[in-house]
Amino acid sequence: KNQVEQSPQSLIILEGKNCTLQCNYTVSPFSNLRWYKQDTGRGPVSLTIMTFSENTKSNGRYTATLDADTKQSSLHITASQLSDSASYICGAGSYQLTFGKGTKLSVIP
Amino acid sequence: NAGVTQTPKFQVLKTGQSMTLQCAQDMNHNSMYWYRQDPGMGLRLIYYSASEGTTDKGEVPNGYNVSRLNKREFSLRLESAAPSQTSVYFCASSEGQGRLETQYFGPGTRLLVL
């Protein structure tokens, strides 16, 4: 059964600090891994899409890494802002994706 | 350019009632999707339409039907709603159905079945 596990479940950090979110996946077939940001009460917004051959991809202050050998990905947020408070969702698969439950990030002043 | 729009935003149904969730996109995308998102669970694909005129089942299609009305519109129908269908429903679209296509999500429809 395809599974995507995200950790931590929730995280609180001070504004300006960095943080890293984790995603472990057991998905077949696998060709790409995605990170989404979902604000409360809104739809997910795509942050990064990586193929199995890519190791890292950046989108502004967001940097995703992928290790296809260990089936792990991380999302690093640099110099956090209050507007980064949201749920971050990892999805893995090929044409169809399996999604994790998300990590809820709270950035406090 | 509104992106992906969904109606209604909220709906309360009684068990056994039927309803149709509407979705439209103005990005000239070929592919459209319906997902559900439940507390403590990830997004799950219900149905998708790779292109106008085609629809296919996703991970959790039971209890739902879809219609790709035209290139812009993709509707999801619940024929006889059940409490287990209480969820937030998201429509998404992408330019194609390629493995690296970005999916753009709508704001969601929050459905409560009593």
Side-chain angles (χ1 to χ4, degrees), chain A residues 32 34 38 41 94-95 101, chain B residues 37 40 42 97 99 101 110:
Chain A
N32 68 97
R34 305 168 183 232
Q38 184 175 25
S94 185
Y95 292 100
K101 298 176 185 180
Chain B
Q37 186 177 43
Q97 211 215 342
R99 291 170 292 172
E101 297 283 354
R110 284 145 187 82

Side-chain angles (χ1 to χ4, degrees), chain A residues 40-83:
Chain A
T40 300
R42 309 288 290 270
V45 174
S46 180
L47 293 176
T48 62
I49 302 173
M50 288 185 292
T51 69
F52 61 85
S53 60
E54 293 180 289
N55 297 120
T56 183
K57 183 160 280 189
S58 292
N59 178 356
R61 294 180 297 102
Y62 301 101
T63 298
T65 64
L66 174 63
D67 186 333
D69 291 332
T70 61
K71 297 185 168 72
Q72 296 179 326
S73 177
S74 64
L75 181 69
H76 186 74
I77 304 175
T78 304
S80 61
Q81 300 176 358
L82 297 178
S83 59

Side-chain angles (χ1 to χ4, degrees), chain A residues 2-104:
Chain A
N2 290 338
Q3 284 188 311
V4 174
E5 300 289 339
Q6 292 188 241
S7 62
Q9 199 170 8
S10 62
L11 182 64
I12 301 173
I13 62 172
L14 290 173
E15 184 180 12
K17 297 296 186 183
N18 304 334
C19 68
T20 300
L21 314 180
Q22 301 290 343
C23 173
N24 296 339
Y25 62 92
T26 305
V27 171
S28 181
F30 174 75
S31 67
N32 68 97
L33 186 134
R34 305 168 183 232
W35 284 95
Y36 294 85
K37 178 186 179 188
Q38 184 175 25
D39 292 318
T40 300
R42 309 288 290 270
V45 174
S46 180
L47 293 176
T48 62
I49 302 173
M50 288 185 292
T51 69
F52 61 85
S53 60
E54 293 180 289
N55 297 120
T56 183
K57 183 160 280 189
S58 292
N59 178 356
R61 294 180 297 102
Y62 301 101
T63 298
T65 64
L66 174 63
D67 186 333
D69 291 332
T70 61
K71 297 185 168 72
Q72 296 179 326
S73 177
S74 64
L75 181 69
H76 186 74
I77 304 175
T78 304
S80 61
Q81 300 176 358
L82 297 178
S83 59
D84 291 331
S85 294
S87 288
Y88 291 83
I89 299 171
C90 173
S94 185
Y95 292 100
Q96 291 192 29
L97 300 171
T98 299
F99 293 89
K101 298 176 185 180
T103 292
K104 185 172 183 178

